[in-house]
Amino acid sequence: IDLWEKGITRYVVNSSIPEGLDEKYQELAYLVTRLARAWLEDKPVRQIETSFYGKLDQFANWMIAPVVSALDPSFDIQSEYNEAISYLKEKGIDYTVRPADNAKKYGESITIDIFCGADSLERISIRGTVTESSIMVSRIADFHKLYFDPKGHNLFFTYEDRPGVLALITSVLGKEGINIDDVRAPHNDTQEKSLAILKVDKPVGGEIVKKIVKQIKAQNGFYVNL
């Protein structure tokens, strides 16, 4: 009853969820991969590298199906490890689980790096965790301490750091009748670039994203519904 009515797989015989694994971490792996894929747009995926910190390393095999499902919605998220590996091999995608350095004290967290491209590879690295029963993205590339909730309608822009950029973004959204629910705008390690993450109340069309990218001279800009 719990399985069919509530989606709870705990205590189910032959379940794809092993005892001791919080299902939110599988959802985390899925959402982090979805976000990474959106960041790299439609470029072909060539390689995936993952790190599972804390007690999550013992559950690495149960994380690959959510990762693959995030790349291809037609792939069943409840699939077994061997099915996910076979799918990746068929697509020519290398998959690696890196040893986690727990001296970094990331707690129970997941880092997923995706490499895309044809001639030269482009990489995006995202780390997330679960805190107070909520899924959080804690790092994107070299933007740290984000603690961003990867749900709903979201806009992302990277740009050279300078005053007034957020005002330009919010002005365009306001004129389009789009309300902003949350904003994160950290600098990167060198303080040269900024990342604007805006959680909004409705979908944002491609033309609006292009308009903002042009106005703020963004290096990267996209909308994703997670």
Side-chain angles (χ1 to χ4, degrees):
I1 293 173
D2 281 342
L3 173 62
W4 292 110
E5 293 186 356
K6 304 176 184 177
I8 297 174
T9 56
R10 200 173 295 110
Y11 311 122
V12 176
V13 177
N14 295 328
S15 168
S16 61
I17 310 293
E19 186 175 352
L21 172 60
D22 185 341
E23 295 163 73
K24 283 187 177 292
Y25 285 101
Q26 288 186 307
E27 185 180 359
L28 171 65
Y30 173 83
L31 289 170
V32 166
T33 307
R34 278 278 315 278
L35 176 54
R37 190 71 188 90
W39 188 286
L40 294 167
E41 300 175 328
D42 295 325
K43 298 166 187 173
V45 177
R46 300 300 184 194
Q47 184 177 342
I48 302 171
E49 295 183 359
T50 58
S51 297
F52 302 101
Y53 295 91
K55 298 177 181 178
L56 295 179
D57 60 340
Q58 63 187 306
F59 302 118
N61 287 356
W62 282 270
M63 300 296 184
I64 185 171
V67 168
V68 175
S69 180
L71 295 178
D72 182 355
S74 67
F75 185 84
D76 186 356
I77 198 170
Q78 295 294 330
S79 298
E80 299 295 331
Y81 170 83
N82 290 338
E83 295 174 284
I85 289 293
S86 295
Y87 174 92
L88 293 176
K89 286 183 177 178
E90 289 175 5
K91 298 295 183 181
I93 301 172
D94 293 328
Y95 181 80
T96 303
V97 178
R98 299 171 300 207
D101 181 4
N102 286 314
K104 294 180 178 179
K105 298 182 179 180
Y106 292 153
E108 273 65 58
S109 63
I110 298 171
T111 297
I112 296 177
D113 293 10
I114 293 185
F115 299 79
C116 288
D119 298 328
S120 60
L121 292 181
E122 182 180 349
R123 168 179 172 261
I124 184 64
S125 177
I126 301 178
R127 185 171 63 248
T129 189
V130 176
T131 180
E132 296 182 1
S133 297
S134 298
I135 293 172
M136 294 289 172
V137 169
S138 54
R139 177 183 62 79
I140 299 176
D142 56 350
F143 298 97
H144 299 270
K145 298 180 180 179
L146 299 177
Y147 302 110
F148 153 72
D149 173 20
K151 301 282 183 69
H153 305 291
N154 303 278
L155 285 165
F156 294 79
F157 300 98
T158 54
Y159 54 91
E160 290 186 8
D161 182 54
R162 61 194 186 279
V165 175
L166 281 179
L168 289 173
I169 297 173
T170 57
S171 176
V172 172
L173 295 177
K175 290 176 182 177
E176 296 291 340
I178 298 170
N179 195 39
I180 299 169
D181 297 328
D182 187 32
V183 177
R184 305 295 162 96
H187 304 304
N188 68 349
D189 293 337
T190 63
Q191 302 291 308
E192 295 174 351
K193 295 181 181 180
S194 287
L195 168 64
I197 305 174
L198 298 98
K199 188 175 291 295
V200 295
D201 66 341
K202 63 183 68 174
V204 180
E207 291 303 314
I208 298 174
V209 173
K210 290 178 182 178
K211 183 177 181 180
I212 295 173
V213 167
K214 184 177 180 179
Q215 284 204 13
I216 69 173
K217 298 178 181 178
Q219 297 157 341
N220 188 28
F222 65 95
Y223 160 82
V224 61
N225 183 23
L226 296 170

